Amino acid sequence: HASIYNILVIKNDTKYRTDSLVVVSVNDKRHSAFSMKSAMMNIDYDGTLTLVNLGKSITNHIDRYFNITDNKEVAKADTAEQSFKMLISIRPHPLINEVLFPTLTRFSGAELQGDFSNRKQQLNMVLNVPSLRLGSNSVDNMHAEVHSDNSALTYALTFDGVKSSKLKIAQTRLAGNLQKNTLAFELDINDNEARQKKKDKDKTHKLYITGNL
């Protein structure tokens, strides 16, 4: 357990204060927990997996539905319990956009929430990023979800728009599932802005693609 109060960061003679930073961590053979509370970020993690092994366990889980690694032994069920619950919440704060990421000109926060159980073959992850602009790159109303059960893993990604210096993508939805080593997808792009500019309100400016890989 570590607590730091009245944190002061100075950059280019400008002072940035945050009230406190509290970190609690527990790790043993059967239990791992991590908690961090601060003015700009909260993290709560509790499970049987350590943070170091988190990525490997999720990769092994995805391999049940669609092979993304060359490890052919992954499909064999691990009898040891692997589970976790997590919540990461990032709030707008001057330390983020003025100290850590000076080119971050718009940010309204972000949240990642999830849980996992290998015995139930269940994975749930939800990501929300309402508004973000970093340099010439921006995204609006991004929402992503991943859910799985013993038969399939489903996914969905939506956003109102993505822009960069060389790319512009209109309102988009990408969704589908992974099942029996097949990736099914539906891509739907709806350009309402183009329709309004051209005054073609009766015409649909959209792209729709579906298929399997």
Side-chain angles (χ1 to χ4, degrees):
H1 184 140
S3 299
I4 305 174
Y5 298 95
N6 299 319
I7 300 171
L8 175 64
V9 177
I10 300 176
K11 180 182 179 182
N12 299 329
D13 296 326
T14 301
K15 297 180 179 179
Y16 303 89
R17 294 183 182 276
T18 181
D19 293 336
S20 63
L21 173 63
V22 180
V23 178
V24 179
S25 179
V26 177
N27 283 290
D28 57 40
K29 292 182 178 180
R30 296 184 178 181
H31 181 227
S32 179
F34 178 84
S35 179
M36 185 181 81
K37 308 290 185 184
S38 71
M40 60 182 176
M41 179 184 294
N42 285 349
I43 301 176
D44 286 297
Y45 174 87
D46 189 272
T48 63
L49 288 165
T50 63
L51 294 175
V52 174
N53 294 323
L54 195 62
K56 180 181 178 181
S57 294
I58 292 179
T59 298
N60 289 352
H61 180 70
I62 295 174
D63 266 341
R64 294 175 180 270
Y65 312 98
F66 188 85
N67 293 132
I68 59 175
T69 70
D70 295 328
N71 187 357
K72 303 303 181 182
E73 301 300 318
V74 164
K76 295 182 179 179
D78 190 337
T79 57
E81 181 183 4
Q82 299 177 6
S83 62
F84 69 80
K85 289 184 179 180
M86 66 183 300
L87 175 62
I88 301 174
S89 178
I90 306 174
R91 293 185 290 271
H93 193 281
L95 277 174
I96 296 178
N97 61 293
E98 295 180 22
V99 178
L100 299 176
F101 304 100
T103 59
L104 183 65
T105 57
R106 188 177 77 236
F107 179 63
S108 58
E111 183 177 277
L112 173 64
Q113 186 171 1
D115 62 80
F116 170 71
S117 170
N118 68 324
R119 290 183 175 177
K120 296 179 180 178
Q121 297 186 26
Q122 185 177 79
L123 172 66
N124 299 294
M125 301 293 287
V126 179
L127 171 68
N128 283 299
V129 183
S131 180
L132 184 149
R133 181 178 179 85
L134 183 65
S136 60
N137 306 303
S138 66
V139 60
D140 291 307
N141 293 326
M142 184 173 74
H143 178 82
E145 291 190 24
V146 173
H147 302 284
S148 73
D149 55 26
N150 57 6
S151 62
L153 181 147
T154 62
Y155 63 91
L157 169 66
T158 62
F159 52 79
D160 285 349
V162 170
K163 296 180 182 179
S164 71
S165 58
K166 298 181 180 180
L167 180 67
K168 181 178 179 181
I169 304 177
Q171 186 181 56
T172 297
R173 180 179 185 271
L174 173 64
N177 64 73
L178 306 178
Q179 189 176 20
K180 297 180 180 179
N181 209 30
T182 298
L183 186 155
F185 69 91
E186 292 183 357
L187 176 63
D188 190 353
I189 302 177
N190 191 357
D191 196 345
N192 291 323
E193 184 178 342
R195 182 172 61 182
Q196 292 174 358
K197 285 183 178 180
K198 295 182 180 180
K199 299 181 180 180
D200 296 335
K201 294 185 178 181
D202 295 330
K203 294 183 179 180
T204 301
H205 291 262
K206 67 182 302 180
L207 172 67
Y208 180 78
I209 303 174
T210 183
N212 296 313
L213 297 175

